[in-house]
Amino acid sequence: MSPTVNANGVGRSSPKAYLADEGRWESIDRVLDRRGPWTDEQFVGGRETKDVLRSKAKILVIGAGGLGCEILQNLALTGFSDIHVIDMDTIDISNLNRQFLFREADVGKSKAVTAAEFVMKRVPGAKVTPYHGKIQDHPPSFYLQFDIVIAGLDSISARRWINATLVQMVDEENPDSLKPLIDGGTEGFKGQARVILPTISSCYECSIDMLTPPTAFPICTIANTPRLPEHCIEWASVLEWPKVFKDKKLDTDDPDHIEWLYQQASARAAEFKIEGVTWALTQGVVKNIIPAIASTNAIIAASCCNEAFKLATTSAPSLNNYMMYVGNDSVYAYTFEHERRPECPVCGGESIIAEVGKDWTLEKLVDWLAARQDLQISRPSLAYSGGKPLYYQAPPQLHAATLKNLEKALPDLLIDGDEVVVTDPGLPFTLTVEIKYA
């Protein structure tokens, strides 16, 4: 086949020659034409299974970054032809070292749209539908149309949201409402891939206590004696932004907001003779970004797409249900079954029980909720089960009206068995907490 060059300057075979190649799916057909020693009982094989893979399976990829680019490529080259991708970001120059579907000319363009166009040019027959925006902008009915959802996200809150949404979508009377979620994530030389069957296996929220809490710097240090560039950036985002912009929320995905923080942090660093404040570091600190490594992305993306292939074709048992990879000193992978957490607020179906003392104040209850590793929340707001505010962190009017409740003893506000409704910016769902006096 004679190579041609596409709009992105990448050599590829001509579509006609590529489609005429009878051996295009030869290696994959070997898996789908016959049963194997661990093949699922539902496996049919042959033309019917190939049609499911190449014509009927509808896959949604969430995220078109370093991990998402690898996933999109792998899915198209495996034979999936109806792929959808959603991402709210635009391409930045710093993405080009690992997000290989993008070129310098693409800077400023939508990641989802650009990635879709590239894959369709590179893999004839593959249809990739892009959506530029937030996953929260789409209703549950949007996610019901897909057979499998693959998440390649760098955001904990987005992961929690899609996990909770897919769990809440499940209708026992409608088997098609259960949508498998394949979640992949990387942190430097470490990564993980997992298969989540909503309401059947452990969900993302079940393992939230495995996450390392974001690094927190003491307020006194960042306010009075900064020593690191990170201290200056935290000062700009935590102290200076609220002071200047009052009630305006900081959007860490807005380049103009990051630019303002960068300028403020740079001035602060110059004042204290601290070097190292950069635009990229500013974005990394406020978004808690850990540098990505291309090889780790490739390994985790391969694992995710392998699981999607197995789920779509039933040609082999799927992962049950967690694979972790560590490549710091060598290549190490380990799989295990993460068990469901009975008290999980998403898939457990029960409220959290707070065993409190009668000498507790409401403030102590708020601190107790914020300190729980299995909740990963920072600014909880509380309301009575009927909806009446108990203590709200925002908006300012409700915060001022309920602030006095913090110093009150819990028995003056709640009786044994009362339920409190908890909301938090980091929670994609409403949490119910039952009060039990010890």
Side-chain angles (χ1 to χ4, degrees):
M1 295 183 291
S2 59
T4 60
V5 178
N6 63 20
N8 293 289
V10 179
R12 63 179 175 88
S13 302
S14 65
K16 289 184 179 179
Y18 196 63
L19 288 169
D21 183 8
E22 296 180 358
R24 182 180 184 184
W25 309 115
E26 181 180 357
S27 58
I28 294 174
D29 286 347
R30 291 175 184 172
V31 178
L32 300 180
D33 280 335
R34 57 187 174 86
R35 298 183 64 85
W38 298 286
T39 304
D40 192 284
E41 294 179 358
Q42 301 176 20
F43 179 74
V44 177
R47 175 54 55 191
E48 184 176 341
T49 301
K50 295 173 188 176
D51 286 344
V52 170
L53 173 67
R54 294 164 193 165
S55 303
K56 298 178 181 178
K58 196 171 185 179
I59 310 296
L60 174 65
V61 178
I62 302 177
L67 196 55
C69 284
E70 291 278 359
I71 291 172
L72 289 169
Q73 166 204 246
N74 291 350
L75 290 175
L77 293 176
T78 301
F80 289 98
S81 63
D82 191 1
I83 306 168
H84 298 245
V85 58
I86 181 170
D87 196 298
M88 64 177 287
D89 288 339
T90 54
I91 300 164
D92 184 76
I93 191 71
S94 63
N95 301 147
L96 303 183
N97 69 332
R98 63 193 181 281
Q99 298 175 21
F100 60 90
L101 299 183
F102 310 136
R103 300 294 181 266
E104 189 172 350
D106 299 324
V107 171
K109 297 179 182 178
S110 163
K111 285 187 177 181
V113 174
T114 306
E117 291 175 350
F118 190 105
V119 172
M120 286 191 288
K121 289 177 182 177
R122 189 69 179 268
V123 185
K127 179 186 177 184
V128 186
T129 305
Y131 304 88
H132 179 72
K134 297 181 179 181
I135 56 175
Q136 295 88 345
D137 293 339
H138 297 274
S141 57
F142 171 80
Y143 297 100
L144 274 170
Q145 66 180 300
F146 302 105
D147 298 302
I148 301 171
V149 178
I150 306 178
L153 293 159
D154 60 1
S155 165
I156 302 297
S157 60
R159 278 192 174 97
R160 298 177 80 176
W161 187 91
I162 190 62
N163 172 76
T165 298
L166 295 182
V167 170
Q168 293 164 4
M169 274 170 37
V170 176
D171 181 356
E172 294 182 359
E173 297 181 359
N174 179 16
D176 291 336
S177 64
L178 192 154
K179 306 298 178 182
L181 171 63
I182 302 172
D183 177 67
T186 63
E187 293 184 356
F189 284 104
K190 299 177 182 179
Q192 55 84 21
R194 64 188 300 181
V195 175
I196 297 171
L197 302 177
T199 71
I200 295 177
S201 67
S202 66
C203 73
Y204 186 80
E205 201 71 27
C206 288
S207 58
I208 199 74
D209 57 350
M210 294 174 62
L211 301 176
T212 304
T215 302
F217 300 105
I219 291 293
C220 58
T221 299
I222 64 176
N224 302 314
T225 56
R227 299 183 301 277
L228 302 172
E230 290 84 355
H231 292 164
C232 300
I233 297 168
E234 282 286 291
W235 170 83
S237 61
V238 175
L239 299 178
E240 200 64 8
W241 179 277
K243 178 181 176 182
V244 174
F245 294 100
K246 307 300 180 185
D247 299 331
K248 184 178 180 180
K249 184 179 179 182
L250 173 64
D251 184 356
T252 58
D253 292 310
D254 189 328
D256 291 335
H257 289 198
I258 300 297
E259 176 66 25
W260 187 90
L261 295 178
Y262 166 61
Q263 296 296 339
Q264 298 299 312
S266 297
R268 177 80 166 176
E271 179 185 349
F272 286 88
K273 296 180 173 55
I274 298 171
E275 297 180 353
V277 174
T278 64
W279 200 95
L281 180 64
T282 302
Q283 184 184 47
V285 170
V286 298
K287 295 188 69 172
N288 194 35
I289 294 175
I290 298 175
I293 295 174
S295 58
T296 309
N297 285 337
I299 291 169
I300 298 304
S303 178
C304 290
C305 294
N306 194 34
E307 295 308 318
F309 178 81
K310 291 189 290 184
L311 286 171
T313 64
T314 66
S315 57
S318 61
L319 177 67
N320 185 27
N321 50 34
Y322 200 111
M323 185 278 287
M324 56 180 290
Y325 162 79
V326 182
N328 295 68
D329 301 314
S330 61
V331 176
Y332 173 77
Y334 178 70
T335 62
F336 65 95
E337 179 181 359
H338 194 289
E339 297 183 356
R340 290 183 68 182
R341 186 157 55 94
E343 68 277 13
C344 174
V346 172
C347 70
E350 297 181 2
S351 59
I352 289 179
I353 296 177
E355 294 185 353
V356 302
K358 291 187 176 182
D359 59 338
W360 278 35
T361 61
L362 182 62
E363 183 176 18
K364 188 170 182 179
L365 176 63
V366 171
D367 292 341
W368 177 81
L369 288 168
R372 284 191 58 147
Q373 183 71 10
D374 60 340
L375 294 180
Q376 295 275 328
I377 59 179
S378 57
R379 302 181 66 234
S381 293
L382 284 63
Y384 292 99
S385 57
K388 181 181 177 182
L390 188 56
Y391 168 67
Y392 272 38
Q393 304 257 8
Q397 297 87 345
L398 276 177
H399 174 72
T402 57
L403 185 61
K404 58 182 180 298
N405 286 340
L406 285 180
E407 59 189 31
K408 293 182 180 179
L410 283 182
D412 295 337
L413 300 168
L414 301 160
I415 63 174
D416 192 73
D418 270 355
E419 289 186 339
V420 175
V421 177
V422 179
T423 56
D424 185 272
L427 278 180
F429 52 87
T430 299
L431 176 68
T432 302
V433 177
E434 183 179 354
I435 301 299
K436 290 288 185 183
Y437 289 107

